[in-house]
Amino acid sequence: MRSLLHAPGVTHLPGVYDPLTAALAARAGFSAVHLSGAAVAALALGLPDLGYVHGTHIADRAAALTPALGGVPLLADADTGYGNALHAVWTARRYAAAGVAGLHLEDQVSPKRCGHLAGKDLVDVRVAAAKIRAVAEAATGLVLVARTDAYTVTGLDDAIGRCLAYVDAGADAVFVEGVTGAAELAAVHAALPGVPLVVNRSEAAGADVFLKDADLTAVGVRLVLHPVAPLLAALQAARAAYAAIAAHGTAAGVTRLPWDAFTGLVGQGSALALDAQYAVEVPA
């Protein structure tokens, strides 16, 4: 993950949510992937991204899916660290133990709100920077991405000032939530030369026109997150299958993953081979 921040181009991180989506992403050839707090809230609890999820939920989900990644690094959402600096350090240690490669930590008041919702409040920049410093000095080895939600609350200048404080506190990269335009990204890049930038391509933002990879690279962006795109695609497919079964008694007309591909993802062939290798015939 750390090497990707200093690579010459942009790396796209799709959302993964369980061992099978992790395996699909790894097989698709991605260099890194992302685990979204909003996705965990939806899948584990059936709830919106309004502070219901704790770091324990994220770490448990990460521990379940990292084996399927085969070494592909995972960047995980850590929200606000789930408390003060003390709790943020505990969160980082729990994430590291779960096999997470990096986390992003934000400066909202807890309980946080989804980044694209109105009504967000920010903690004092000194409080947020202290939390970043505590996680950096915990020496977990995790890549530390400092996220600020200031852009839509107090404006771009404050967002940049906060990023400067977070880098000084030990952040490896910065993530200015809501900033996707060329001019704003260029302003962040000019104020933080050499600091890798992270941007978010969430459907929650609406129909934004996204910059091309070459343009993102030119303004210092190194990681592009796609937190929920695969989840929304999967839910759309599931909705179509349920509708077809309800209307016609069969999902035959709905595009589905072939059964052989499914059993391949779950490792059925190798499991059966192992079972046969150690099977013992006991005389009657």
Side-chain angles (χ1 to χ4, degrees):
M1 181 71 71
R2 201 173 304 280
S3 67
L4 294 175
L5 289 178
H6 300 285
V10 167
T11 299
H12 291 270
L13 282 65
V16 296
Y17 321 107
D18 55 32
L20 295 189
T21 53
L24 287 171
R27 293 185 182 194
F30 285 97
S31 298
V33 294
H34 180 258
L35 179 59
S36 157
V40 174
L43 292 173
L45 305 175
L47 292 171
D49 187 19
L50 293 175
Y52 294 105
V53 163
H54 188 268
T56 304
H57 294 107
I58 306 290
D60 287 349
R61 180 64 61 128
L65 63 83
T66 47
L69 288 171
V72 175
L74 173 68
L75 178 68
D77 189 351
D79 284 351
T80 63
Y82 311 101
N84 61 18
L86 175 70
H87 306 103
V89 168
W90 184 91
T91 296
R93 288 173 174 159
R94 184 70 184 267
Y95 280 27
V100 171
L103 58 79
H104 51 83
L105 193 64
E106 63 198 62
D107 56 6
Q108 284 194 51
V109 170
S110 184
K112 57 78 58 82
R113 296 172 71 85
C114 179
H116 297 284
L117 289 177
K120 294 180 293 184
D121 290 314
L122 308 175
V123 298
D124 185 279
V125 63
R126 294 166 295 183
V127 173
K131 199 180 296 186
I132 294 289
R133 188 176 304 280
V135 173
E137 292 180 352
T140 60
L142 293 176
V143 166
L144 176 52
V145 178
R147 166 178 151 169
T148 180
D149 284 74
Y151 176 64
T152 57
V153 179
T154 53
L156 184 61
D157 288 345
D158 184 43
I160 290 174
R162 285 172 173 264
C163 287
L164 287 166
Y166 303 158
V167 170
D168 184 62
D172 297 298
V174 296
F175 170 7
V176 185
E177 173 59 41
V179 171
T180 56
E184 291 87 353
L185 286 170
V188 177
H189 181 50
L192 293 104
V195 177
L197 308 185
V198 178
V199 297
N200 191 16
R201 287 187 175 172
S202 171
E203 284 76 0
D208 283 356
V209 177
F210 295 116
L211 299 176
K212 295 180 180 179
D213 283 2
D215 297 325
L216 290 171
T217 299
V219 292
V221 174
R222 290 299 176 265
L223 303 183
V224 179
L225 311 182
H226 303 259
V228 293
L231 173 60
L232 296 180
L235 290 173
Q236 174 69 8
R239 182 166 69 175
Y242 290 130
I245 294 169
H248 311 296
T250 176
V254 179
T255 301
R256 289 157 290 158
L257 189 73
W259 181 255
D260 287 349
F262 169 72
T263 57
L265 275 177
V266 298
Q268 179 172 296
S270 58
L272 289 174
L274 185 64
D275 183 56
Q277 179 180 348
Y278 294 103
V280 176
E281 290 189 13
V282 179

